Amino acid sequence: MAKTSFLLPLMFLLLFANYGAIFSVNSSNATTDQSALLELKSHISHDPYNLLATNWSTSISVCDWIGITGGSRHHRVTALNLSSMDFRGTIPSQLGSLSFLASLDFRHNSFHGSLPTELANLHQLKYLNFGRVPSPPPSLQLYDVSENNLAGEFPASLCNLSALSVLNLNNNSLGGTIPKCIGNFSSSLLEIDLRNNNFHGPIPCSLGELSELESLDLSSNNLHGRIPTELKNLGFLAVLNLSQNNLTGHIPQGKQF
Ligand SMILES: *[C@@H]1O[C@H](CO)[C@@H](O)[C@H](O)[C@H]1NC(C)=O
Ligand SMILES: *[C@@H]1O[C@H](CO)[C@@H](O)[C@H](O)[C@H]1NC(C)=O
Ligand SMILES: *[C@@H]1O[C@H](CO)[C@@H](O)[C@H](O)[C@H]1NC(C)=O
Ligand SMILES: *[C@@H]1O[C@H](CO)[C@@H](O)[C@H](O)[C@H]1NC(C)=O
Ligand SMILES: *[C@@H]1O[C@H](CO)[C@@H](O)[C@H](O)[C@H]1NC(C)=O
Ligand SMILES: *[C@@H]1O[C@H](CO)[C@@H](O)[C@H](O)[C@H]1NC(C)=O
Ligand SMILES: *[C@@H]1O[C@H](CO)[C@@H](O)[C@H](O)[C@H]1NC(C)=O
Ligand SMILES: *[C@@H]1O[C@H](CO)[C@@H](O)[C@H](O)[C@H]1NC(C)=O
Ligand SMILES: *[C@@H]1O[C@H](CO)[C@@H](O)[C@H](O)[C@H]1NC(C)=O
């Protein structure tokens, strides 16, 4: 099955709530939506079923193009679903001007390269699915992809984000185990929120190495096994939620929660 991999830009929620106008947003309209999609078409180098060559044509409204849903009144693109089309290519920055886009489903394709930072302009975007957790640039400090219906596993490449202070994967459909390398965040990481996912297996002992951690929420997963005693090393931990898992053992002593 084709894999989709991305480098994610500075991520949405907190950053853009605080610094709303980092990017200058050009006014967009149905015409700019069409040029954005034609730009995407030109970045798709492999289209084995020839879906775009004839179908994404300027002689028809973009709302009738395959994979596109548009508003009936304003004729702006609201959903882009290119899942399972076996495309290969990259994502152009112009997608960031689809300002009415609420849903983006790119599962089961082979897009590669970085996700353009301009995607952070998409304030209507509620649903984002790349089939896996996108890997952000290594200097990222705040990684928040909560409530995105992301599927796939916790990629070990995330452990390379040595400047990360907040990791929020809350409320997705992520599975697999929590990798041992989560301990590699060492001194930078203050907050981990993995609640409302399908992580299974044990809680890695390496979490005990996150010496600055203040908040750890692993609730509502399928974790099992013993709660590692190493958690007692987390001297700054103020919030710990392990509820709705299948864990045994005791909350480690050494810290009052
Ligand atoms: C759409 O927006 C572009 C760029 O902002 C502008 O040049 C163009 O005139 C607009 N078209 C319409 C129909 O408003
Ligand atoms: C493009 O694809 C859509 C959806 O499959 C279809 O309804 C439409 O007729 C196609 N248009 C052309 C010109 O091929
Ligand atoms: C995209 O299309 C596929 C196949 O038609 C469908 O299974 C999937 O639910 C769609 N995604 C969204 C977000 O609607
Ligand atoms: C926005 O406008 C500037 C200047 O007019 C232009 O250089 C830039 O490419 C535009 N960006 C988009 C996403 O259209
Ligand atoms: C999880 O996210 C969905 C939207 O993706 C939302 O409808 C739902 O309320 C959220 N659930 C929780 C428990 O936050
Ligand atoms: C972490 O970064 C190093 C150096 O950049 C690289 O060699 C390694 O493959 C990365 N690990 C993962 C899991 O991405
Ligand atoms: C985590 O750290 C260990 C030991 O320093 C190293 O061997 C491993 O490659 C690192 N993993 C990642 C994903 O960076
Ligand atoms: C702990 O997590 C559960 C499930 O996610 C949640 O319902 C509960 O409110 C949380 N407890 C606290 C004290 O936040
Ligand atoms: C919890 O784990 C025990 C074994 O550790 C197992 O027997 C039991 O079925 C599990 N319960 C659930 C609800 O998964």
Side-chain angles (χ1 to χ4, degrees), residues 78-235:
T78 56
L80 187 49
N81 187 345
L82 304 186
S83 64
S84 305
M85 293 182 174
D86 287 347
F87 291 145
R88 204 174 297 150
T90 56
I91 306 292
S93 61
Q94 285 82 356
L95 280 200
S97 65
L98 296 174
S99 47
F100 282 60
L101 196 67
S103 168
L104 186 64
D105 191 344
F106 279 4
R107 276 175 291 174
H108 310 318
N109 288 292
S110 295
F111 288 105
H112 58 274
S114 315
L115 265 192
T117 45
E118 286 80 358
L119 290 195
N121 291 335
L122 301 175
H123 298 298
Q124 304 292 323
L125 198 63
K126 303 283 188 308
Y127 179 95
L128 178 73
N129 198 332
F130 300 103
R132 49 170 283 167
V133 178
S135 298
S139 58
L140 197 77
Q141 296 179 12
L142 185 154
Y143 188 70
D144 186 341
V145 289
S146 56
E147 304 191 14
N148 273 310
N149 289 325
L150 288 169
E153 301 201 341
F154 189 125
S157 59
L158 278 190
C159 300
N160 262 353
L161 301 175
S162 53
L164 202 68
S165 65
V166 174
L167 174 65
N168 189 349
L169 308 180
N170 170 20
N171 197 7
N172 284 290
S173 302
L174 300 168
T177 57
I178 302 174
K180 280 199 200 70
C181 69
I182 199 165
N184 287 24
F185 289 116
S186 64
S187 60
S188 65
L189 203 58
L190 305 178
E191 186 182 329
I192 299 177
D193 188 348
L194 306 184
R195 88 194 119 114
N196 291 328
N197 279 289
N198 299 312
F199 289 116
H200 59 78
I203 298 178
C205 307
S206 58
L207 276 176
E209 287 158 32
L210 301 175
S211 54
E212 305 293 314
L213 199 67
E214 294 169 1
S215 175
L216 177 62
D217 193 336
L218 305 179
S219 63
S220 295
N221 280 289
N222 295 312
L223 299 169
H224 63 81
R226 287 187 68 82
I227 297 171
T229 53
E230 286 81 355
L231 294 189
K232 73 175 184 301
N233 300 336
L234 302 178

Side-chain angles (χ1 to χ4, degrees), residues 29-31 33-35 37 55-81 98 100:
N29 51 43
T31 311
D33 280 6
Q34 189 196 60
S35 7
L37 293 172
N55 196 284
W56 282 27
S57 150
T58 51
S59 59
I60 15 174
S61 161
V62 293
C63 301
D64 295 326
W65 292 3
I66 191 168
I68 307 295
T69 307
S72 54
R73 205 163 39 82
H74 49 60
H75 300 295
R76 301 296 306 276
V77 175
T78 56
L80 187 49
N81 187 345
L98 296 174
F100 282 60

